[in-house]
């Protein structure tokens, strides 16, 4: 009788085999039979259907994308051609252009203000040059001090220039419509009237920001203990309103309005007139005509507006003394005292600097 092999194996070996699964190994799995070769006709039909489906899906995607693009274009076009949008665009474009120019010329504006305030009240006072003023500003602080009041300058342009160019463009469109209806052309008189009106309306709105700019730029001329050290245009406006009253934000508004009207008279009217004359009388390129017209307009704008800008700076810089007195009682008083104490030519001090400041805005 045959002996059971397992009986001769030690018990612990049997237990290990049973634990490891070696007692009853699973039968080997047979490899699946390879698929039978497909029918060539069936494969060709299936491939053709797959290609047709892919082409159909691709065409649907293209049509959907085209439809979305057309809808987006129509929506964008409808927004841009909406009456409210077309009305607002001149204001937006004017404001962005003015703010960009302000960022570039802010140091020049800083130097211009310091030149106008130098030697105040003395006919034989100091006559610093723009280079000397620049050196003094940097020596007292740092190069970044040339950008003092930039936030106020940007706010002024966002408010004043936006309204100024927007109003001028609106007035010119009305004048063009009226001229076309009557079969006539817009002349120098109409351009000048549009420029004067646009500048005057915008100046009143932007006066608080203009005042804050002058206060921030002139703060460095005071003794250290008396300086306000404004942090921003918001800080300047709030502190001025709190200390001097809200109406103080419109100090110097009268010369600001007159200055704006004179500035726009030279800037906008002469630019349009010069551009028309250059276009009809010369063969210059369009870009050269624009640059030349800007230079001409900038000169006349500087010539007409600088005396008023000078008085505006003096009036907006002044603050009441402890007894409530101020150096100048108003625009006429400032003109009279400066002409008497400092000379007529003092109104045109720094003309070159002022011209460089004005030209980019023309």
């Amino acid at each position: 009788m045959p002996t059971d092999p397992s009986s001769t194996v030690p018990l612990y070996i049997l237990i290990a085999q049973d634990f490891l699964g070696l007692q009853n190994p699973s039968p080997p799995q047979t490899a699946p039979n390879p698929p039978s070769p497909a029918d060539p006709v069936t494969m060709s039909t299936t491939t053709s259907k797959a290609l047709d489906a892919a082409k159909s899906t691709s065409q649907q995607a293209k049509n959907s994308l085209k439809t979305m693009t057309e809808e987006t274009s129509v929506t964008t076009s409808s927004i841009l051609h909406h009456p409210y949008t077309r009305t607002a665009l001149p204001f937006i474009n004017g404001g962005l252009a003015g703010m960009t120019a302000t960022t570039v010329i802010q140091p020049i504006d800083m130097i211009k203000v310091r030149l106008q305030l130098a030697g105040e009240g003395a006919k034989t006072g100091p006559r610093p040059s723009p280079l000397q003023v620049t050196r003094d500003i940097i020596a007292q602080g740092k190069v970044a001090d040339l950008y003092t009041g930039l936030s106020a300058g940007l706010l002024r342009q966002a408010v004043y220039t936006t309204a100024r160019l927007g109003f001028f463009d609106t007035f010119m469109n009305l004048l063009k419509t009226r001229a076309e209806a009557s079969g006539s052309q817009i002349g120098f008189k109409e351009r000048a009237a549009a420029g004067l009106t646009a500048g005057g309306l915008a100046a009143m709105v932007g006066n608080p920001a203009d005042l804050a700019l002058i206060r921030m730029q002139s703060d460095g001329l005071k003794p250290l203990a008396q300086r306000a050290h404004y942090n921003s245009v918001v800080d300047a406006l709030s502190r001025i309103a709190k200390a001097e009253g809200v109406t103080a934000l419109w100090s110097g508004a009268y010369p600001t309005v007159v200055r704006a009207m004179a500035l726009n008279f030279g800037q906008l009217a002469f630019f349009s007139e010069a551009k028309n004359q250059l276009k009809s009388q010369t063969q210059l390129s369009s870009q050269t005509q624009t640059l030349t017209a800007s230079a001409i307009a900038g000169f006349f704008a500087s010539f007409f507006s600088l005396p008023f800008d000078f008085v505006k700076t003096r009036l907006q810089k002044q603050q009441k003394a402890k007894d409530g007195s101020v150096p100048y009682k108003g625009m006429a008083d400032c003109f009279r005292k400066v002409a008497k104490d400092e000379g007529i030519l003092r109104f045109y001090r720094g003309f070159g600097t002022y011209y460089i400041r004005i030209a980019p805005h023309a």
Side-chain angles (χ1 to χ4, degrees):
M1 182 175 177
T3 304
D4 186 1
S6 62
S7 61
T8 62
V9 179
L11 180 60
Y12 68 89
I13 297 295
L14 294 175
I15 294 173
Q17 289 178 343
D18 183 65
F19 178 76
L20 296 174
L22 300 176
Q23 186 66 24
N24 296 308
S26 59
Q29 296 182 356
T30 58
N33 295 328
S36 58
D39 185 5
V41 176
T42 302
M43 289 185 63
S44 177
T45 303
T46 303
T47 302
S48 177
K49 290 180 178 180
L51 291 175
D52 291 341
K55 290 180 179 179
S56 177
T57 303
S58 176
Q59 187 62 37
Q60 291 178 358
K62 290 181 179 179
N63 292 337
S64 299
L65 181 61
K66 183 179 180 181
T67 301
M68 292 176 61
T69 304
E70 291 176 350
E71 291 177 352
T72 302
S73 177
V74 171
T75 302
T76 304
S77 178
S78 62
I79 293 175
L80 293 176
H81 288 83
H82 193 278
Y84 293 115
T85 305
R86 293 177 65 86
T87 302
L89 279 177
F91 294 81
I92 297 173
N93 292 336
L96 292 176
M99 293 173 72
T100 301
T102 294
T103 303
V104 175
I105 66 172
Q106 181 65 20
I108 300 174
D109 188 71
M110 176 70 169
I111 296 170
K112 184 266 300 182
V113 170
R114 292 294 181 88
L115 286 172
Q116 291 177 334
L117 296 175
E120 184 175 2
K123 190 170 186 178
T124 59
R127 301 183 61 182
S129 66
L131 183 58
Q132 184 179 348
V133 171
T134 304
R135 289 175 178 174
D136 291 342
I137 294 174
I138 297 175
Q140 294 176 7
K142 50 186 180 296
V143 177
D145 288 345
L146 291 171
Y147 279 89
T148 300
L150 178 60
S151 61
L154 292 176
L155 177 61
R156 180 182 65 175
Q157 293 303 329
V159 177
Y160 169 71
T161 303
T162 299
R164 178 176 65 94
L165 294 181
F167 279 130
F168 181 76
D169 189 69
T170 302
F171 293 153
M172 288 299 295
N173 287 335
L174 293 175
L175 291 172
K176 287 179 181 178
T177 303
R178 182 181 299 178
E180 290 174 357
S182 61
S184 59
Q185 293 183 351
I186 299 176
F188 179 78
K189 181 176 63 176
E190 288 79 11
R191 294 190 186 94
L196 290 171
T197 307
L201 290 174
M204 286 297 296
V205 182
N207 195 81
D210 209 344
L211 175 76
L213 175 62
I214 298 300
R215 292 289 182 89
M216 295 175 75
Q217 290 178 328
S218 64
D219 195 47
L221 294 175
K222 299 178 181 178
L224 189 60
Q226 298 179 13
R227 295 179 186 178
H229 300 288
Y230 300 112
N231 296 323
S232 65
V233 61
V234 176
D235 180 48
L237 291 173
S238 60
R239 289 168 62 181
I240 293 170
K242 183 177 180 180
E244 306 174 38
V246 177
T247 56
L249 297 177
W250 273 268
S251 297
Y254 188 34
T256 300
V257 171
V258 179
R259 175 244 188 205
M261 296 177 71
L263 182 67
N264 282 273
F265 174 76
Q267 202 172 57
L268 298 175
F270 276 93
F271 176 81
S272 299
E273 186 67 20
K275 188 75 179 290
N276 288 338
Q277 293 296 331
L278 289 170
K279 186 176 181 179
S280 61
Q281 302 294 334
T282 69
Q283 300 296 323
L284 299 175
S285 64
S286 177
Q287 183 177 7
T288 304
Q289 290 176 10
T290 301
L291 293 176
T292 305
S294 296
I296 295 172
F299 174 83
F300 283 102
S302 300
F303 178 79
F304 289 124
S305 66
L306 182 53
F308 299 103
D309 183 84
F310 181 94
V311 173
K312 174 192 74 70
T313 299
R314 291 285 180 93
L315 290 177
Q316 291 180 336
K317 177 257 182 183
Q318 70 177 1
Q319 293 178 263
K320 290 183 179 180
K322 293 182 179 180
D323 59 357
S325 63
V326 291
Y328 310 106
K329 297 179 181 180
M331 185 176 73
D333 185 53
C334 184
F335 267 113
R336 182 181 61 81
K337 287 184 176 179
V338 171
K340 178 182 178 181
D341 300 336
E342 306 175 40
I344 295 293
L345 294 180
R346 182 63 62 92
F347 293 112
Y348 283 95
R349 172 179 286 183
F351 180 84
T353 304
Y354 186 68
Y355 174 75
I356 295 175
R357 179 198 176 281
I358 292 298
H361 292 285

